[in-house]
Amino acid sequence: SIRPWLHPDRAAPGALVLLEEVTAQHEAEAKRLAAAEELAATQRMAHVGQMAAGAAHDFNNFLQVIHAAMFDLEGDPRHEEALNNVQKALHSARDLTRAMLRFGREPSDQNVAVDLVSLLQEMQRPLSYALGRRHRLEVRVPRADEVTIEGRANRIQQALLNLAINARDAMPRGGAIQVVLAVDGGQAVLSVHDTGDGIPPSVRAKLFTPFFTTKGAHGSGLGLNVVKTVVEEHHGQIAVESEPEQGTTFSMRLPLFVPRPRHPDVESSS
């Protein structure tokens, strides 16, 4: 602050400049605002969880109606493959709604060995349906018979579906979407690549933030956050590479399954 000041030996008026150290106050205020924002985000997530549980209950009822209606179509060989795909999709949706209904509880599903090659083969047709006719799905798997991780197949399917839908939305004019499975350094790498316009660096930094979306009213801002959560549940990492006019690649790196050694029974000596 600046105050008028008169020197005792000079007639001309002067000014007194006072400097105050306020760095600590600014840092404290920044921390307070960050904590308040984090608390608000936590409260919103809790509210979303409660809403999701209620929506899952009603959605589960609709699934039962669809499942019952399928019986009228069974027995017609022309629809056998389509019915099988619908049945698999219904089972995945059922598992998802059950997970939503368990929101806030301890997870009850146990991790098991999951073969990603078989998982991709089973998901190829349902994914093609989800992408629509303007988009072509290309799936590439390694020559190995199996690429096995430890986890939950339905959660990997959920993450893969979210990434595929995002790739579709990034290519409104259509095109090819590649899903590639590879093995690298003791990890399974499951990648989804689109040929859209790419993602600017400023947006890339916020991609996995809950409720952040570039789709306006058409997006929830939760899809990529779900993907990140699934990958972390499997002790993996999620990475994104994007170049302007070259498209975007999301890669899930998941540890390969290592069978636990069986310890031989120790015979007791008499």
Side-chain angles (χ1 to χ4, degrees):
S1 61
I2 301 177
R3 300 177 183 176
W5 179 69
L6 296 176
H7 194 281
D9 299 327
R10 296 180 182 178
L16 180 65
V17 179
L18 301 178
L19 302 179
E20 182 180 0
E21 174 62 50
V22 295
T23 302
Q25 291 92 322
H26 279 285
E27 290 179 348
E29 179 65 12
K31 290 180 180 179
R32 187 191 68 79
L33 292 175
E37 185 176 349
E38 184 177 355
L39 177 60
T42 301
Q43 292 174 337
R44 289 171 65 190
M45 287 297 291
H47 184 56
V48 167
Q50 294 173 352
M51 293 177 60
H57 179 271
D58 295 334
F59 185 67
N60 199 48
N61 292 336
F62 290 123
L63 290 178
Q64 293 180 31
V65 174
I66 296 172
H67 191 274
M70 286 180 57
F71 285 109
D72 293 336
L73 301 175
E74 290 182 350
D76 189 336
R78 297 175 300 174
H79 305 306
E80 184 175 356
E81 183 179 3
L83 285 172
N84 288 336
N85 289 320
V86 172
Q87 191 73 260
K88 292 177 182 177
L90 283 173
H91 287 163
S92 297
R94 179 200 60 192
D95 293 340
L96 176 59
T97 55
R98 287 178 177 176
M100 293 168 71
L101 287 169
R102 291 197 302 267
F103 181 84
R105 306 177 193 172
E106 290 296 325
S108 60
D109 294 343
Q110 298 296 323
N111 288 343
V112 297
V114 178
D115 175 24
L116 295 180
V117 174
S118 299
L119 183 144
L120 284 179
Q121 291 172 345
E122 293 176 1
M123 284 196 70
Q124 189 164 356
R125 184 57 64 87
L127 276 179
S128 296
Y129 288 150
L131 296 179
R133 296 182 179 181
R134 286 185 296 178
H135 298 82
R136 183 177 72 260
L137 179 66
E138 298 178 355
V139 178
R140 301 178 185 175
V141 298
R143 294 174 180 261
D145 294 334
E146 293 183 357
V147 176
T148 306
I149 65 168
E150 184 175 12
R152 288 181 283 169
N154 65 318
R155 293 291 280 164
I156 299 297
Q157 290 172 342
Q158 185 181 358
L160 185 58
L161 179 60
N162 272 292
L163 290 179
I165 295 298
N166 267 15
R168 179 200 68 186
D169 293 344
M171 303 166 57
R173 295 180 297 274
I177 295 174
Q178 295 179 348
V179 177
V180 181
L181 175 63
V183 176
D184 178 42
Q187 291 183 312
V189 184
L190 189 55
S191 303
V192 177
H193 174 73
D194 66 64
T195 55
D197 295 332
I199 304 173
S202 59
V203 174
R204 214 177 304 163
K206 306 175 184 178
L207 283 176
F208 301 103
T209 304
F211 307 108
F212 175 78
T213 180
T214 59
K215 302 176 185 179
H218 299 287
S220 66
L222 293 174
L224 288 177
N225 182 256
V226 167
V227 174
K228 181 174 180 288
T229 300
V230 170
V231 171
E232 290 175 347
E233 288 174 357
H234 291 77
H235 308 288
Q237 302 88 36
I238 179 74
V240 55
E241 298 177 5
S242 187
E243 295 292 337
E245 308 301 328
Q246 298 295 321
T248 302
T249 301
F250 285 90
S251 298
M252 299 185 290
R253 302 183 67 93
L254 309 169
L256 291 173
F257 173 64
V258 179
R260 295 177 178 83
R262 294 184 178 181
H263 298 287
D265 295 335
V266 179
E267 296 182 359
S268 59
S269 57
S270 58

